[in-house]
Amino acid sequence: MAKKTKPQGAAQPKTFSLHWGSGIVEEEASFATPYHQPTVQLLKFTEGEAKGSYAVRFCHYDHRGRFQRSPLIIDAADLRTLRKALQTSPKLRRLLAQLG
């Protein structure tokens, strides 16, 4: 099941904090597998030395919604599902298109 979360309206955006800056998750594309929830995030830096820049984070959550600090592994069979999840994240899709 593909899903996308985008901060808007009264909903609180997800935030992040790294050594070189902090900010909000502007776009996010994710889907559930039996093992975890692979996620690609567009990070918008609003504070720190990276303020004003963007980054792409490849990460995952467990099934309880907890952020996991381990490598993201996506089964090759799930790449189509990730592609579908990215369809509702235009900025992320444009950035990732630069890989091809």
Side-chain angles (χ1 to χ4, degrees), residues 42-86:
L42 178 61
L43 306 180
K44 180 180 181 180
F45 288 89
T46 58
E47 302 290 333
E49 69 181 70
K51 183 178 179 175
S53 67
Y54 285 88
V56 176
R57 175 164 62 182
F58 297 86
C59 58
H60 67 279
Y61 292 85
D62 68 14
H63 287 295
R64 293 184 182 152
R66 294 179 298 198
F67 185 80
Q68 301 296 289
R69 296 194 179 276
S70 55
L72 171 61
I73 299 173
I74 300 174
D75 190 296
D78 290 326
L79 290 176
R80 245 186 213 157
T81 307
L82 175 58
R83 183 179 182 163
K84 185 177 179 180
L86 284 165

Side-chain angles (χ1 to χ4, degrees), residues 2-7 13-15 24-31 37-43 56-57 59-61 65 67 82 84-93:
K3 80 172 190 174
K4 180 244 181 195
T5 305
K6 183 177 181 181
K14 287 185 179 180
T15 60
I24 62 167
V25 177
E26 189 168 291
E27 287 185 352
E28 182 175 73
S30 64
F31 62 96
Q37 185 176 335
T39 304
V40 181
Q41 298 175 327
L42 178 61
L43 306 180
V56 176
R57 175 164 62 182
C59 58
H60 67 279
Y61 292 85
F67 185 80
L82 175 58
K84 185 177 179 180
L86 284 165
Q87 293 305 307
T88 57
S89 300
K91 290 180 183 178
L92 264 172
R93 201 171 59 250

